[in-house]
Amino acid sequence: MGATISRSGPHGPKIALAGAAVVLILAALPAFADRATLRLATEMAGYLTLAVMWNLLAGYAGVMSIGQQVFVGLGGYAFFVVAGLWGVPVFAALPLAGAFAAFIALPIALILFRLNGAYFAVATWVVAEIAALVIAQTYAVGGGAGMSLPTQVAKSLGNNDQRSALIWWLALALCCIAAGLAYLWMRSPRGLALMAMRDDEIAAAGLGVSTTRNRIMVYLIATFITGIAGAILFLVKLRISPSAAFDVNEWTASIIFIVVIGGLGYLEGPLLGVLLFFALRALLAGFGPWYLIALGALAIATMLFAPGGLWGLIHRRFGWEIFPVRRRVILTNGETP
Amino acid sequence: MTEFLNLLAQGATIGGLYALFAAGLSIVFGILRLVNLAHGDMIILGAFTGHVVATAMGLGFIPALIIAPLLMGAFGYALQRLLLNRLIGKDILPPLLVTFGLSMMIQNALLLVFTADTQKIALGGIETASVPLLPGVAVGSYALIVLAVAVVVIGGLHLLLMRTALGRTFRATADDAETARQLGVRTPHVFGLATALALAACGIAGVMLAVWTSFTPLAGSTRLLIAFEVIVIGGIGSIWGTLLGGILLGLAQAIGGWINPEWQMLAGHIAFLAVLVLMPGGLFAQGRR
Amino acid sequence: MSLLSVQSLTAHYGDMQALYGVDFGIDAGQVAAVIGPNGAGKTTLMRAMLGAGARTAGRIEFAGQPILGLPPEAIAALGIAMVPEGRRLFASLSVEENLRMGESAGRKGVWTLARVFDLFPILKERRHRPATALSGGQQQMVAVGRALMTNPKILLCDELSLGLSPLVVEDIYALFPAILAEGMALVIVEQDVGRALKVATSVTCLMEGRVVLQGAPGDLSVDRIAQAYFGAAA
Ligand SMILES: Nc1ncnc2c1ncn2[C@@H]1O[C@H](COP(=O)(O)OP(=O)(O)OP(=O)(O)O)[C@@H](O)[C@H]1O
Ligand SMILES: [Mg+2]
């Protein structure tokens, strides 16, 4: 990852070094943080992973999904089945959970990508409802009541402290992989084509960009990572139930909030958004409905007055860029219709 | 057999309620090309408004059925002029995100004012009475009233769209807002009126719902999904399609629920997906749009 | 004072400049032709007069009132109407409904539905058909009729003849006297320079966003126009 960033701009090497240092410090967290802090950090890393993937879809690929909870939930359930019921080791079960999410994502994409953007968004939500209802009827995984992760799975990761550290490292690693994948994808020819198509689908089609294939590809990547993130998030909780696993507020509304506030269409945005979201949650969650009203209002105000979110403001003001990916493909002058 | 016929009758009559849910969403999408993710919460807002008028103020059902749509319509006009008009453009993301935020705000504002308790408008017995159709087969009288209201609302919308100057302006603006403006159409105002109309429909739907069943501030998202499924099944942009879509969805749910009570909602969702896969234009698409 | 005057108008699409300080004017009862090769900025200039399209700066006055920056619906209400390039009829409206959309500007005057039907009898016959089910020439009539229904003081016509057979074009141009008789001013954009010179009282030739030639058609020889078109050759 470092090598790629170091090629990217005038400050590339410095930023790569700083990034590596931050990741190292974070990796050392178990040495000085208690278990509650680690758990919070793991949760943040999980949310960040989800946000990076949602941003990749909505901010770069123009795929607006409000049904991402289906992949969080399916990833979580797949993990509980594979690791908990079938006894597959955790490290193998995690990618399997992601693969299961992506496997389900393929038919969904084939059916729903025919829909106009806004209709696609609501249809993904319907799919999530279907998944929740079906799981709630599946008694092998506990039906509506859900299931707990068998203790031997938890034990296989060591004692409480070891387990917290291990899960944190997994979450951190997944987060780095997600950011790296998003970054590499956006700098690849396919990623650039994807942005061209988000900005102007017709023009992109005219340039011979296969819109649907690229969209499906990025959708599968995003759901794979989202599924693993779901597995890790429920591995922390040790319990899963349909209402928790397919919660639209938890896994989609919060994530959208994070991306919008942080900066839709900037790879740096979700990072900022996660920090702000957890800070707000810590400060305001005690205020009940007021807290959520404030979140809604903040998201609306951001869309109206600073569509690039917090990072967009910073980027405009200071010109900073940690992950330089061209946000807009500028067609040469002669190309204008 | 009579049990099954009863279920079918119930399924078909709940279609009226579902069509009412869908009417506003269909208007907003048809004219503004915008999917309002707060639509379900608007219905619930209408239900609470009706509840306040009918029960808290003690004015009763009929005044609620008049006042709630008026208030909702005014709210819709203001919302469109002050907020949503700023977001209309070729990018679909901002309006989706903003209406999603709006949904969150409405739900929680309702929670704040009315708490999470369930509410209902009582109608003095009509809601439990039923009308026999065949020996052993009956439908609720209130369900029939709702179906009649749905037919009136949808028929009214159809006349408005096809027979009046405003309807003509709505259709022209939906076709090509830029050209409409150049002919003197004040599009911000027209969009305001379209949303006013849509939310007035939500007001009616909400009041009818409030008698049909009890509701809470969080009951909106289910209604959004139902409304959405109805317009996809009925064919996007077809106003009578909403009524037929509603009835079909109601029937699908009834049949699902007959096989297994737990499958009622699931059957509706699956019917929706099946239509999407087999007939992407909806069952009653007019070919236009 | 002109009915409409455009001074030092610039226009941008994003970073691309489409007009560089264009001056233009027209009086009641006149026909101003705007000519120029593809991409010269003719449509951009017309749309600017209506408050639509590119980002513009400079000055546009209509009947002594500055209108640059007003929204299109306000300009339409003041009395400028356009027959757009490509007609842009409302696809889900019938012929009659398309015509009636011109009433949106809220201007009363001689142009009523009956009057437009007098001008284009074929439209009366097909009034209930979907507008897009008509032939190209008939569609163009609907577009002209729809603009007339706003009772404008200035009618802007962007490439009326595009895609129409010469005979149909002849028919449409034959209506100009009837339209002008009502004291309207006409601005026409034409690819066919000969035709433009025949009907125009003034000609403006645009090249790459600049006015390269302006005057009465009598003062402009075909040579000078050709020279303006092919610029550097002179
Ligand atoms: N919507 C737009 N976005 C970006 N550039 C545009 C747009 N419309 C026009 N242009 C550019 O502005 C310039 C002037 O275009 P305009 O349409 O005004 O020319 P025109 O003289 O009307 O040409 P034509 O004879 O082809 O109709 C051209 O270079 C064109 O590419
Ligand atoms: Mg042109």
Side-chain angles (χ1 to χ4, degrees), chain A residues 55-56 208 233 306:
Chain A
N55 189 32
L56 180 65
L233 283 160

Side-chain angles (χ1 to χ4, degrees), chain C residues 36-58:
Chain C
N38 290 110
K42 305 178 298 287
T43 300
T44 305
L45 173 62
M46 276 206 167
R47 288 163 59 78
M49 296 178 199
L50 251 179
R55 191 158 39 82
T56 47

Side-chain angles (χ1 to χ4, degrees), chain C residues 43 85 158-159:
Chain C
T43 300
E85 199 173 355
D158 198 354
E159 306 209 17

Side-chain angles (χ1 to χ4, degrees), chain A residues 140-166:
Chain A
V141 293
M147 67 189 283
S148 297
L149 196 64
T151 40
Q152 69 268 22
V153 177
K155 289 233 178 74
S156 77
L157 296 177
N159 66 27
N160 280 344
D161 285 329
Q162 290 167 330
R163 191 173 69 232
S164 305
L166 210 52

Side-chain angles (χ1 to χ4, degrees), chain A residues 194-214:
Chain A
L194 205 68
M195 279 189 275
M197 120 201 151
R198 177 204 58 187
D199 292 341
D200 189 344
E201 190 157 337
I202 296 157
L207 295 173
V209 175
S210 160
T211 36
T212 313
R213 186 122 54 84
N214 276 338

Side-chain angles (χ1 to χ4, degrees), chain C residues 67-88:
Chain C
I67 58 167
L68 191 81
L70 290 185
E73 59 267 31
I75 295 178
L78 289 173
I80 302 183
M82 175 145 96
V83 183
E85 199 173 355
R87 306 186 277 266
R88 298 185 68 162

Side-chain angles (χ1 to χ4, degrees), chain A residues 19 24 28 48 60 75 88 95 115 140 167 172-173 177 180 205 233 236 261 290 305 310-311 313 334:
Chain A
L24 275 180
L48 181 54
Y60 288 99
V88 172
L115 291 173
I167 297 178
L172 183 63
I177 291 172
L233 283 160
V236 175
I261 296 285
W290 280 115
F305 304 113
L310 219 50
W311 187 260
L313 290 179

